[in-house]
Amino acid sequence: RKFRSSSKWQQCRKEVLARDKHLCVICYKEEGFVSVHEKLDVHHIESLHKAWKKRCVEDNLITLCKRHHKLADNGEYTEEYLRKLVSPLPKKNKI
């Protein structure tokens, strides 16, 4: 609880939300839609109790809506799958 109210977490959360364009990554990439005025969470791909040192590492964080956050917490999505969703797109080579 103390961590989630810390300025460090609030800043990290803000950066991840901006990176993900304030969209649930699964809704956007898997289901092809954007929800408006949806309450969003920043989910730890590797849980806090399992990977405390990664608590503010951006590639361990993903923006999810409440529904997908619950599914992720229940193990419906693997860590590998969630990591793939947040990995940056490959850069195109200019010719």
Side-chain angles (χ1 to χ4, degrees):
R1 236 174 242 206
K2 189 175 180 181
F3 165 69
R4 293 196 192 274
S5 62
S6 72
S7 59
K8 182 177 181 174
W9 170 246
Q10 294 304 314
Q11 182 61 37
C12 183
R13 183 180 187 283
K14 191 177 183 181
E15 290 169 9
V16 171
L17 287 167
R19 177 200 69 195
D20 295 340
K21 312 277 191 269
H22 292 265
L23 299 171
C24 171
V25 176
I26 295 175
C27 285
Y28 181 71
K29 291 186 175 179
E30 186 178 274
E31 298 176 1
F33 71 88
V34 175
S35 9
V36 179
H37 304 296
E38 180 92 33
K39 196 141 181 160
L40 299 170
D41 294 330
V42 174
H43 172 71
H44 289 86
I45 295 170
E46 282 187 75
S47 67
L48 284 172
H49 71 273
K50 187 172 152 187
W52 178 252
K53 290 183 179 183
K54 294 183 181 180
R55 66 191 175 278
C56 285
V57 175
E58 283 194 28
D59 66 356
N60 188 48
L61 301 166
I62 186 170
T63 303
L64 299 175
C65 65
K66 297 289 184 187
R67 178 173 65 98
H68 285 122
H69 193 187
K70 184 176 180 177
L71 291 171
D73 280 345
N74 290 334
E76 296 290 322
Y77 299 103
T78 65
E79 289 178 9
E80 294 79 22
Y81 178 72
L82 295 174
R83 280 192 199 292
K84 193 165 37 166
L85 289 176
V86 296
S87 64
L89 295 172
K91 294 182 181 178
K92 294 182 180 179
N93 293 331
K94 291 185 179 182
I95 300 175

